[in-house]
Amino acid sequence: MTADDYVQPEIHGLAGRDADLLRFATAGSVDDGKSTLIGRLLLDSKSIFEDQLEAVEATSASKGYDYTDLALLTDGLRSEREQGITIDVAYRYFATPSRKFIIADTPGHVQYTRNMVTGASTADLGLVLVDARQGLTEQSRRHAVILSLLRVPHLVLAVNKMDLVDFSEEVYEKIHSEFTQFATKLNIPDLEVIPISALQGDNVVNRSENMEWYSGPTLMHHLEHVHVASDRDLIDARFPVQFVIRPKSDEFHDYRGYAGQVAGGVLKPGDEVVVLPSGMTSTISKIDLFDKEIAEAFPPMSVTVHLADDVDVSRGDMIARVKNAPQPSQDIDAMVCWMTTAPLRPRQKLAIKHTTRTARALVKDIQYRLDVNSLHRDQETKELGVNEIGRIQLRTTQPLLCDPYSKNRATGSFILIDEATGVTVGAGMILAGS
């Protein structure tokens, strides 16, 4: 995550177009087989080139393995391959006839929690792996809690390495029951538990002949058919302006458009809108997508919006509906994942980037540190250390046009930046503004 990333309408064909892409993040303890699973998905869905597979086979043989180490397809850093672990967030892309996928393979070590938060922050689905021999671990619970905090709407618990427990139904049922009971404490709207063997391919893409007692979907079938079109906020129109386009050429002499990514709702020509924070109102005259006009725009499309009136609009402003606009707020109550070794303390001053607006912020108070294993709130804490998550209060120099994170993940999130170095030091989820 960097500082640069960041009335029900009638919708014609929206669900089908939005469902074409699924972003999912893998999580779990070290050696649970996340990278191997992704390698298996890529291999069995025929999403890797023959020379890539040959290179992995050769590397596996040189290491003395009697099998092809599919984890080498995703563990790209030299230190990852040497240690057999994932450190950085590895993004991989593949497709089937039914859907396109973006995978964020996140690290399992506790010291890389911030990497896991970064990878899962834009995910539609979280995939938590557990080793069938070990059962639920502290890291399994930790990552489930983080996915819940990040409001990832769909969660899959993949019980991996079933081949090492003789494909035991009893082992699966025990883990299934224990995790389901733990999940009742979390905000997980959709949960699926699937027994697999990533190494051998059981229940990954093809149904396992070794687990006839399991009647649920394979992992790939679930990924292809999980419904994500309704997860985004399609009611509250939010359009943070990223750039004002004024070509000033003879061909486009009077062209004036406002470019950005739709963060919520559905925008159409003819809609009456308000520009915040100025409060000026106008009507959308047209919407451009690349070199053509379109009839509607919805999350997460990047478009150029044109207004019928010549109003003052600049980067950091937000276009919303007149009767359904966010309230500007300078006092922010938020959950924050702290990402640097220097601790976060009250009275600290930082830069804050929210959608396309950047301001300065003062840490007013740290209310508590959350123990993501037990969900205990430590209200005695005076600071947050690296990879720790806590609830804080901020005061910003400029009003932010925000929504609660539970309502809109785009307008409800922000990053904190060290002004001296320009490094991202925290990621936040807004609870409330006043």
Side-chain angles (χ1 to χ4, degrees):
M1 183 182 294
T2 67
D4 293 328
D5 285 340
Y6 233 104
V7 163
Q8 177 66 39
E10 221 179 286
I11 304 167
H12 304 287
L14 173 58
R17 283 175 287 175
D18 192 50
D20 285 345
L21 175 65
L22 178 73
R23 291 179 169 89
F24 70 93
T26 63
S29 299
V30 178
D31 294 332
D32 278 348
K34 298 182 297 299
S35 298
T36 301
L37 174 60
I38 293 175
R40 173 61 64 183
L41 284 170
L42 295 174
L43 177 64
D44 288 1
S45 63
K46 299 178 173 57
S47 298
I48 59 173
F49 294 110
E50 187 174 339
D51 59 339
Q52 290 178 296
L53 181 59
E54 290 175 353
V56 169
E57 289 174 341
T59 303
S60 300
S62 69
K63 291 177 176 287
Y65 300 159
D66 57 359
Y67 63 93
T68 301
D69 185 5
L70 298 176
L72 298 174
L73 289 168
T74 57
D75 288 338
L77 299 179
R78 180 177 179 180
S79 55
E80 291 178 327
R81 294 191 173 205
E82 288 174 348
Q83 299 179 60
I85 63 171
T86 300
I87 297 173
D88 199 4
V89 180
Y91 291 93
R92 291 294 179 267
Y93 310 86
F94 75 102
T96 68
S98 302
R99 180 173 260 174
K100 298 175 183 176
F101 301 91
I102 299 177
I103 315 171
D105 183 18
T106 66
H109 283 78
V110 62
Q111 63 263 44
Y112 301 122
T113 297
R114 60 191 184 276
N115 303 58
M116 188 263 175
V117 169
T118 301
S121 61
T122 57
D124 303 304
L125 180 146
L127 176 59
V128 178
L129 272 76
V130 297
D131 187 326
R133 300 169 301 173
Q134 307 296 329
L136 292 184
T137 64
E138 181 178 300
Q139 276 297 79
S140 305
R141 293 182 174 87
R142 182 184 187 88
H143 288 156
V145 170
I146 292 173
L147 289 169
S148 173
L149 284 173
L150 291 171
R151 298 278 177 165
V152 177
H154 306 278
L155 192 145
V156 174
L157 180 73
V159 184
N160 193 22
K161 303 188 181 181
M162 288 296 295
D163 54 308
L164 300 181
V165 293
D166 297 324
F167 302 100
S168 168
E169 181 180 6
E170 183 181 351
V171 170
Y172 165 77
E173 290 294 345
K174 180 181 178 182
I175 296 173
H176 183 290
S177 176
E178 186 178 353
F179 188 81
T180 302
Q181 185 176 359
F182 174 72
T184 58
K185 305 174 184 178
L186 309 176
N187 180 27
I188 301 176
D190 176 37
L191 173 63
E192 189 77 39
V193 184
I194 303 175
I196 67 169
S197 169
L199 186 62
Q200 298 187 7
D202 294 80
N203 282 342
V204 179
V205 173
N206 304 307
R207 181 167 292 280
S208 172
E209 297 179 356
N210 297 304
M211 291 180 279
E212 294 182 352
W213 45 264
Y214 173 72
S215 59
T218 64
L219 177 60
M220 179 62 83
H221 183 275
H222 181 72
L223 294 177
E224 287 183 326
H225 294 88
V226 64
H227 184 68
V228 298
S230 60
D231 295 334
R232 295 186 175 93
D233 182 1
L234 300 176
I235 298 176
D236 307 296
R238 303 287 187 265
F239 185 73
V241 177
Q242 185 172 3
F243 188 71
V244 180
I245 300 179
R246 291 290 306 276
K248 296 183 180 180
S249 64
D250 290 338
E251 185 180 358
F252 300 99
H253 185 75
D254 296 320
Y255 190 100
R256 184 184 183 91
Y258 310 106
Q261 185 177 58
V262 183
V266 179
L267 301 176
K268 297 180 181 180
D271 286 349
E272 187 180 1
V273 294
V274 60
V275 179
L276 299 172
S278 69
M280 300 293 292
T281 59
S282 185
T283 302
I284 296 177
S285 59
K286 67 174 182 175
I287 303 173
D288 290 339
L289 177 64
F290 299 110
D291 58 350
K292 64 180 180 180
E293 290 187 33
I294 57 175
E296 61 185 10
F298 49 85
M301 291 175 63
S302 295
V303 298
T304 301
V305 173
H306 298 257
L307 301 181
D309 303 288
D310 188 12
V311 296
D312 183 15
V313 184
S314 58
R315 176 181 171 87
D317 290 352
M318 183 177 290
I319 296 174
R321 283 208 169 84
V322 174
K323 296 182 179 179
N324 182 10
Q327 294 299 314
S329 177
Q330 288 183 263
D331 292 298
I332 307 298
D333 193 5
M335 296 295 294
V336 168
C337 176
W338 191 242
M339 298 180 171
T340 189
T341 52
L344 175 69
R345 296 190 175 104
R347 311 304 299 173
Q348 196 165 336
K349 295 178 181 179
L350 299 159
I352 183 170
K353 187 174 186 297
H354 171 261
T355 63
T356 58
R357 174 172 289 238
T358 301
R360 301 183 70 195
L362 174 70
V363 181
K364 292 174 60 178
D365 184 35
I366 298 178
Q367 295 182 301
Y368 60 79
R369 179 185 62 83
L370 181 68
D371 185 327
V372 295
N373 302 309
S374 65
L375 302 182
H376 171 71
R377 298 177 179 182
D378 179 10
Q379 297 180 340
E380 302 300 319
T381 188
K382 302 300 181 184
E383 63 182 35
L384 292 180
V386 62
N387 293 310
E388 291 186 336
I389 296 174
R391 183 167 179 168
I392 68 172
Q393 289 182 322
L394 297 171
R395 174 74 177 181
T396 62
T397 55
Q398 298 178 35
L400 301 186
L401 305 166
C402 55
D403 296 293
Y405 187 81
S406 58
K407 182 179 182 180
N408 189 310
R409 291 170 73 187
T411 58
S413 60
F414 61 85
I415 58 174
L416 296 172
I417 304 165
D418 186 314
E419 292 184 286
T421 63
V423 172
T424 300
V425 293
M429 297 154 281
I430 297 169
L431 300 174
S434 58

